[in-house]
Coordinates of all heavy atoms in Angstrom, one line a residue:
M471 N 109.7 94.1 116.3 CA 110.0 93.7 115.0 C 110.5 92.2 115.0 O 110.4 91.6 114.0 CB 111.1 94.5 114.4 CG 110.7 96.0 114.2 SD 109.4 96.1 113.0 CE 108.9 97.8 113.3
I472 N 111.1 91.8 116.0 CA 111.7 90.5 116.1 C 110.5 89.4 116.1 O 110.7 88.2 115.6 CB 112.5 90.3 117.3 CG1 113.8 91.1 117.2 CG2 112.9 88.7 117.6 CD1 114.6 91.2 118.4
A473 N 109.3 89.8 116.5 CA 108.2 88.8 116.5 C 107.8 88.6 115.1 O 107.2 87.5 114.9 CB 107.1 89.4 117.3
T474 N 108.1 89.3 114.1 CA 107.6 89.0 112.8 C 108.7 88.2 112.0 O 108.3 87.7 110.9 CB 107.5 90.4 111.9 OG1 108.7 91.1 111.9 CG2 106.3 91.2 112.6
L475 N 109.8 87.9 112.6 CA 110.8 87.1 111.8 C 110.2 85.7 111.4 O 110.4 85.3 110.3 CB 112.1 87.0 112.6 CG 112.9 88.2 112.6 CD1 114.1 87.9 113.6 CD2 113.4 88.5 111.4
P476 N 109.6 85.0 112.3 CA 109.0 83.7 111.9 C 108.1 83.8 110.7 O 108.0 83.0 109.8 CB 108.4 83.1 113.1 CG 109.1 83.8 114.2 CD 109.3 85.1 113.8
F477 N 107.3 84.9 110.7 CA 106.3 85.0 109.6 C 107.0 85.4 108.3 O 106.6 84.9 107.3 CB 105.3 86.1 110.0 CG 104.5 85.8 111.2 CD1 104.6 86.5 112.4 CD2 103.7 84.7 111.2 CE1 103.8 86.3 113.5 CE2 102.9 84.4 112.4 CZ 102.9 85.2 113.4
N478 N 108.1 86.2 108.4 CA 108.8 86.5 107.2 C 109.5 85.3 106.6 O 109.6 85.2 105.4 CB 109.8 87.6 107.5 CG 109.1 89.0 107.8 OD1 108.1 89.3 107.2 ND2 109.8 89.8 108.6
Y479 N 110.0 84.4 107.5 CA 110.6 83.2 107.1 C 109.5 82.4 106.3 O 109.8 81.8 105.3 CB 111.1 82.3 108.3 CG 112.4 83.0 108.9 CD1 112.6 82.8 110.3 CD2 113.3 83.7 108.1 CE1 113.7 83.4 110.8 CE2 114.4 84.3 108.8 CZ 114.6 84.1 110.1 OH 115.8 84.7 110.7
R480 N 108.3 82.3 106.8 CA 107.2 81.6 106.1 C 106.9 82.2 104.8 O 106.7 81.4 103.9 CB 106.0 81.5 107.0 CG 106.0 80.6 108.2 CD 104.7 80.5 108.7 NE 104.8 79.7 110.0 CZ 103.8 79.5 110.9 NH1 102.6 80.1 110.5 NH2 103.9 78.7 111.9
L481 N 106.9 83.5 104.7 CA 106.6 84.1 103.4 C 107.8 83.8 102.4 O 107.5 83.5 101.3 CB 106.7 85.7 103.6 CG 105.4 86.2 104.3 CD1 105.6 87.8 104.5 CD2 104.2 86.0 103.6
R482 N 109.1 83.8 102.9 CA 110.0 83.4 102.0 C 110.0 81.9 101.6 O 110.4 81.6 100.4 CB 111.5 83.7 102.6 CG 111.9 85.1 102.4 CD 113.3 85.4 102.9 NE 113.2 85.3 104.4 CZ 114.3 85.4 105.1 NH1 115.5 85.4 104.6 NH2 114.2 85.4 106.4
D483 N 109.7 81.0 102.5 CA 109.6 79.7 102.2 C 108.4 79.4 101.2 O 108.4 78.5 100.4 CB 109.4 78.8 103.5 CG 110.7 78.8 104.4 OD1 111.7 79.0 103.8 OD2 110.5 78.5 105.6
A484 N 107.4 80.2 101.4 CA 106.3 80.0 100.4 C 106.6 80.2 99.0 O 106.0 79.6 98.1 CB 105.2 81.0 100.8
V485 N 107.6 81.0 98.7 CA 108.1 81.2 97.3 C 109.4 80.6 97.0 O 110.1 81.0 96.1 CB 108.1 82.7 97.0 CG1 106.7 83.4 97.0 CG2 109.0 83.5 97.9
D486 N 109.9 79.7 97.8 CA 111.1 78.9 97.7 C 112.3 79.9 97.7 O 113.2 79.7 97.0 CB 111.1 78.1 96.4 CG 110.0 77.0 96.5 OD1 109.8 76.4 97.6 OD2 109.5 76.7 95.4
R487 N 112.2 81.0 98.4 CA 113.3 81.9 98.7 C 113.7 82.6 97.5 O 114.9 83.1 97.4 CB 114.6 81.3 99.4 CG 114.1 80.6 100.8 CD 115.3 80.1 101.5 NE 115.0 79.6 102.8 CZ 114.9 80.3 103.9 NH1 115.2 81.5 103.9 NH2 114.5 79.7 105.0
D488 N 113.0 82.7 96.5 CA 113.2 83.5 95.2 C 112.7 84.9 95.3 O 111.5 85.0 95.5 CB 112.6 82.7 94.0 CG 112.9 83.4 92.7 OD1 114.0 84.2 92.6 OD2 112.2 83.0 91.8
V489 N 113.6 85.8 95.3 CA 113.2 87.2 95.5 C 112.2 87.8 94.4 O 111.2 88.4 94.6 CB 114.4 88.2 95.6 CG1 114.0 89.6 95.7 CG2 115.2 87.7 96.8
G490 N 112.5 87.3 93.1 CA 111.7 87.8 92.0 C 110.2 87.2 92.2 O 109.2 87.9 91.9
T491 N 110.2 86.0 92.5 CA 108.9 85.3 92.7 C 108.1 86.0 93.8 O 106.8 86.2 93.8 CB 109.0 83.8 92.9 OG1 109.7 83.2 91.8 CG2 107.7 83.1 93.0
K492 N 108.9 86.2 94.9 CA 108.2 86.9 96.1 C 107.6 88.3 95.7 O 106.5 88.6 96.1 CB 109.3 87.1 97.1 CG 108.6 87.7 98.4 CD 109.6 87.8 99.6 CE 109.0 88.4 100.7 NZ 109.9 88.6 101.8
R493 N 108.3 89.0 94.9 CA 107.8 90.3 94.4 C 106.6 90.1 93.6 O 105.5 90.8 93.8 CB 108.8 91.0 93.6 CG 109.9 91.6 94.5 CD 110.8 92.5 93.6 NE 112.0 92.9 94.4 CZ 113.2 92.9 93.9 NH1 113.5 92.5 92.7 NH2 114.2 93.2 94.7
K494 N 106.6 89.2 92.6 CA 105.5 89.0 91.7 C 104.3 88.5 92.6 O 103.2 89.0 92.3 CB 105.9 87.9 90.7 CG 104.9 87.8 89.5 CD 105.5 86.8 88.5 CE 104.5 86.6 87.4 NZ 105.0 85.7 86.4
V495 N 104.5 87.5 93.5 CA 103.4 87.0 94.2 C 102.9 88.0 95.1 O 101.6 88.1 95.3 CB 103.9 85.8 94.9 CG1 102.9 85.3 96.0 CG2 104.1 84.6 94.0
G496 N 103.7 88.8 95.8 CA 103.3 89.9 96.7 C 102.4 90.9 95.8 O 101.4 91.4 96.4
K497 N 102.8 91.3 94.6 CA 102.0 92.2 93.9 C 100.6 91.7 93.6 O 99.6 92.3 93.8 CB 102.6 92.5 92.6 CG 103.8 93.4 92.6 CD 104.3 93.8 91.2 CE 105.5 94.7 91.4 NZ 106.2 94.8 90.0
V498 N 100.5 90.3 93.2 CA 99.2 89.7 92.9 C 98.4 89.6 94.3 O 97.2 90.0 94.2 CB 99.5 88.3 92.3 CG1 98.2 87.5 92.4 CG2 100.1 88.4 91.0
V499 N 99.0 89.2 95.3 CA 98.1 89.0 96.5 C 97.7 90.4 97.1 O 96.6 90.6 97.5 CB 99.0 88.2 97.5 CG1 98.3 88.2 98.9 CG2 99.2 86.8 97.1
L500 N 98.7 91.3 97.2 CA 98.4 92.6 97.9 C 97.6 93.6 97.1 O 96.9 94.4 97.6 CB 99.7 93.3 98.4 CG 100.4 92.4 99.5 CD1 101.8 93.1 99.7 CD2 99.6 92.3 100.7
S501 N 97.7 93.5 95.8 CA 97.1 94.5 94.9 C 95.7 93.8 94.3 O 95.0 94.5 93.6 CB 97.9 95.0 93.8 OG 98.2 94.0 92.9
N502 N 95.6 92.5 94.5 CA 94.4 91.8 94.0 C 94.3 91.9 92.5 O 93.2 92.1 91.9 CB 93.1 92.3 94.7 CG 92.0 91.3 94.5 OD1 92.2 90.2 94.2 ND2 90.7 91.8 94.7
K503 N 95.5 91.9 91.8 CA 95.5 91.9 90.4 C 96.0 90.5 89.8 O 96.7 89.8 90.5 CB 96.5 93.0 89.8 CG 95.9 94.4 90.2 CD 96.9 95.4 89.6 CE 96.4 96.8 90.0 NZ 97.3 97.8 89.4
E504 N 95.7 90.3 88.6 CA 96.2 89.0 88.0 C 97.3 89.4 87.1 O 97.2 90.1 86.2 CB 95.1 88.3 87.3 CG 94.0 87.8 88.3 CD 92.9 87.0 87.5 OE1 93.2 86.5 86.4 OE2 91.7 86.9 88.0
F505 N 98.5 88.7 87.2 CA 99.6 88.9 86.4 C 100.0 87.7 85.6 O 101.0 87.6 85.1 CB 100.8 89.3 87.2 CG 100.7 90.8 87.7 CD1 100.6 91.0 89.1 CD2 100.8 91.9 86.9 CE1 100.5 92.3 89.5 CE2 100.7 93.2 87.3 CZ 100.6 93.3 88.6
G506 N 99.0 86.7 85.5 CA 99.3 85.5 84.8 C 100.4 84.6 85.5 O 101.5 84.4 84.9
L507 N 100.0 84.1 86.7 CA 100.9 83.2 87.4 C 100.8 81.8 86.9 O 99.7 81.3 86.5 CB 100.5 83.3 88.9 CG 100.5 84.6 89.6 CD1 100.1 84.3 91.0 CD2 102.1 85.1 89.6
D508 N 101.9 81.1 86.9 CA 101.9 79.7 86.5 C 101.4 78.9 87.7 O 101.2 79.4 88.8 CB 103.2 79.2 86.0 CG 104.4 79.3 87.0 OD1 104.0 79.5 88.2 OD2 105.5 79.1 86.6
R509 N 101.3 77.6 87.5 CA 100.8 76.7 88.6 C 101.6 76.8 89.9 O 101.0 76.9 91.0 CB 100.7 75.3 88.1 CG 100.3 74.2 89.1 CD 98.9 74.0 89.3 NE 98.2 73.4 88.2 CZ 96.9 73.4 88.0 NH1 96.1 74.0 88.9 NH2 96.3 72.9 87.0
G510 N 102.9 76.7 89.8 CA 103.7 76.9 91.0 C 103.6 78.2 91.7 O 103.6 78.3 93.0
E511 N 103.5 79.3 90.9 CA 103.3 80.6 91.5 C 102.0 80.8 92.1 O 101.7 81.4 93.1 CB 103.6 81.7 90.5 CG 105.0 81.7 90.0 CD 105.3 82.7 88.8 OE1 104.3 83.0 88.1 OE2 106.4 83.1 88.6
Q512 N 100.9 80.0 91.6 CA 99.6 80.1 92.2 C 99.5 79.5 93.5 O 99.0 79.9 94.5 CB 98.6 79.5 91.3 CG 98.2 80.2 90.0 CD 97.3 79.5 89.1 OE1 97.0 78.4 89.4 NE2 96.9 80.3 88.1
V513 N 100.2 78.4 93.7 CA 100.4 77.6 95.0 C 101.1 78.6 95.9 O 100.8 78.7 97.1 CB 101.1 76.3 94.8 CG1 101.4 75.7 96.2 CG2 100.2 75.4 94.0
A514 N 102.2 79.3 95.5 CA 103.1 80.2 96.3 C 102.1 81.3 96.7 O 102.2 81.8 97.9 CB 104.3 80.6 95.7
A515 N 101.3 81.8 95.8 CA 100.4 82.9 96.2 C 99.4 82.6 97.2 O 99.1 83.3 98.2 CB 99.7 83.4 94.9
A516 N 98.9 81.3 97.2 CA 97.9 80.9 98.2 C 98.6 80.8 99.5 O 98.0 81.3 100.6 CB 97.4 79.5 97.8
K517 N 99.9 80.3 99.6 CA 100.6 80.2 100.8 C 100.9 81.6 101.4 O 100.8 81.8 102.6 CB 101.9 79.4 100.7 CG 101.7 77.9 100.5 CD 103.0 77.3 100.2 CE 102.8 75.8 99.9 NZ 104.2 75.1 99.7
Y518 N 101.3 82.5 100.5 CA 101.6 83.9 100.8 C 100.4 84.6 101.3 O 100.5 85.3 102.4 CB 102.2 84.6 99.6 CG 102.8 85.9 99.8 CD1 104.2 86.0 100.0 CD2 102.1 87.1 99.8 CE1 104.7 87.3 100.1 CE2 102.6 88.3 99.9 CZ 104.0 88.4 100.1 OH 104.5 89.6 100.3
A519 N 99.3 84.3 100.7 CA 98.0 85.0 101.2 C 97.5 84.5 102.6 O 96.9 85.3 103.2 CB 96.9 84.8 100.1
A520 N 97.9 83.3 102.9 CA 97.6 82.7 104.2 C 98.4 83.4 105.3 O 97.9 83.5 106.4 CB 97.8 81.3 104.2
V521 N 99.6 83.8 105.0 CA 100.5 84.4 106.2 C 100.5 85.9 106.1 O 100.7 86.5 107.3 CB 101.9 83.8 105.8 CG1 102.9 84.3 106.9 CG2 101.9 82.2 106.0
I522 N 100.3 86.5 105.0 CA 100.7 87.9 105.0 C 99.7 88.8 105.9 O 100.1 89.8 106.5 CB 100.5 88.5 103.5 CG1 101.2 89.9 103.4 CG2 99.1 88.5 103.0 CD1 102.6 89.9 103.7
P523 N 98.4 88.5 106.2 CA 97.6 89.3 107.1 C 98.1 89.3 108.5 O 98.2 90.4 109.1 CB 96.2 88.6 107.1 CG 96.2 87.9 105.8 CD 97.6 87.4 105.5
T524 N 98.6 88.1 108.9 CA 99.2 88.2 110.3 C 100.5 88.9 110.4 O 100.7 89.7 111.3 CB 99.5 86.7 110.7 OG1 98.3 85.9 110.6 CG2 100.0 86.5 112.1
T525 N 101.3 88.8 109.4 CA 102.6 89.5 109.2 C 102.4 91.0 109.2 O 103.0 91.7 110.0 CB 103.4 89.1 108.0 OG1 103.6 87.7 108.0 CG2 104.7 89.8 107.9
L526 N 101.5 91.4 108.4 CA 101.2 93.0 108.4 C 100.6 93.4 109.7 O 100.9 94.5 110.1 CB 100.3 93.2 107.2 CG 100.9 93.1 105.8 CD1 99.8 93.3 104.8 CD2 102.1 94.0 105.6
G527 N 99.7 92.6 110.3 CA 99.1 93.0 111.6 C 100.2 93.2 112.7 O 100.2 94.2 113.4
Y528 N 101.2 92.3 112.7 CA 102.3 92.4 113.7 C 103.1 93.6 113.3 O 103.6 94.3 114.2 CB 103.2 91.2 113.7 CG 102.7 90.1 114.6 CD1 101.9 89.0 114.3 CD2 103.1 90.2 116.0 CE1 101.5 88.1 115.2 CE2 102.7 89.2 117.0 CZ 101.9 88.1 116.5 OH 101.4 87.2 117.4
M529 N 103.5 93.9 112.1 CA 104.3 95.0 111.7 C 103.6 96.3 112.0 O 104.3 97.2 112.6 CB 104.6 95.0 110.2 CG 105.5 93.7 109.8 SD 105.6 93.5 108.0 CE 107.3 94.2 107.8
V530 N 102.3 96.4 111.7 CA 101.6 97.6 112.1 C 101.6 97.9 113.7 O 101.8 99.0 114.1 CB 100.2 97.7 111.5 CG1 99.3 98.9 112.0 CG2 100.3 97.8 110.0
S531 N 101.3 96.8 114.4 CA 101.3 96.9 115.8 C 102.6 97.4 116.4 O 102.8 98.2 117.2 CB 100.9 95.6 116.5 OG 99.6 95.2 116.1
N532 N 103.7 96.7 115.9 CA 105.0 97.1 116.3 C 105.4 98.5 116.0 O 106.0 99.2 116.9 CB 106.1 96.1 115.8 CG 106.1 94.8 116.4 OD1 105.7 94.7 117.6 ND2 106.4 93.8 115.7
L533 N 105.0 99.0 114.8 CA 105.2 100.4 114.5 C 104.5 101.4 115.4 O 105.1 102.4 115.7 CB 104.8 100.6 113.0 CG 105.2 102.0 112.4 CD1 106.7 102.2 112.4 CD2 104.7 102.0 111.0
N534 N 103.2 101.1 115.7 CA 102.4 101.8 116.6 C 103.1 101.9 118.0 O 103.2 103.0 118.5 CB 101.0 101.4 116.7 CG 100.2 101.7 115.5 OD1 100.5 102.7 114.8 ND2 99.2 100.9 115.2
L535 N 103.5 100.8 118.4 CA 104.2 100.8 119.7 C 105.5 101.6 119.8 O 105.8 102.3 120.7 CB 104.4 99.3 120.2 CG 103.3 98.5 120.6 CD1 103.6 97.0 120.9 CD2 102.5 99.1 121.9
L536 N 106.2 101.5 118.7 CA 107.4 102.3 118.6 C 107.1 103.8 118.5 O 107.8 104.6 119.2 CB 108.2 101.8 117.3 CG 109.5 102.6 117.0 CD1 110.5 102.3 118.1 CD2 110.1 102.2 115.7
Y537 N 106.0 104.2 117.8 CA 105.6 105.5 117.7 C 105.2 106.1 119.2 O 105.6 107.1 119.6 CB 104.5 105.7 116.7 CG 104.0 107.1 116.8 CD1 104.7 108.1 116.1 CD2 102.8 107.4 117.3 CE1 104.2 109.5 116.0 CE2 102.3 108.7 117.3 CZ 103.0 109.7 116.6 OH 102.5 111.0 116.7
I538 N 104.5 105.3 119.8 CA 104.0 105.6 121.2 C 105.2 105.7 122.1 O 105.3 106.7 123.0 CB 103.0 104.5 121.7 CG1 101.7 104.7 120.9 CG2 102.7 104.8 123.2 CD1 100.7 103.6 121.2
W539 N 106.1 104.8 122.0 CA 107.3 104.9 122.9 C 108.2 106.1 122.6 O 108.5 106.8 123.5 CB 108.1 103.6 122.7 CG 109.4 103.6 123.4 CD1 109.5 103.3 124.8 CD2 110.7 103.9 123.0 NE1 110.9 103.4 125.1 CE2 111.7 103.7 124.0 CE3 111.1 104.1 121.7 CZ2 112.9 104.0 123.8 CZ3 112.5 104.4 121.5 CH2 113.4 104.2 122.6
A540 N 108.3 106.4 121.4 CA 109.2 107.6 121.0 C 108.5 108.9 121.3 O 109.2 109.8 121.7 CB 109.4 107.5 119.5
S541 N 107.2 108.9 121.2 CA 106.6 110.2 121.5 C 106.4 110.4 123.0 O 106.1 111.5 123.4 CB 105.1 110.2 120.9 OG 104.3 109.2 121.4
S542 N 106.6 109.4 123.9 CA 106.5 109.6 125.3 C 107.7 110.1 125.9 O 107.7 110.4 127.1 CB 106.1 108.2 125.9 OG 107.2 107.3 125.8
K543 N 108.8 110.1 125.1 CA 110.0 110.6 125.6 C 110.4 112.0 125.4 O 109.8 112.6 124.5 CB 111.2 109.7 125.0 CG 111.1 108.3 125.6 CD 112.4 107.6 125.3 CE 112.4 106.3 126.0 NZ 113.4 105.8 126.7

């Protein structure tokens, strides 16, 4: 999980650390829906979309490793 921290920092920096904007941009990027983003939010969505595949890949991999580790005990 610690390996994803730099990616999560990049996600937060993409939306200028605003939680509301992060939720809105996340919904647009992950659900592929249009919610009427303004120009700044569109730029944030592009930055978010560039980082989120890597972040989710690391998260899924870490979760799988945790499951394997826990089931082996």
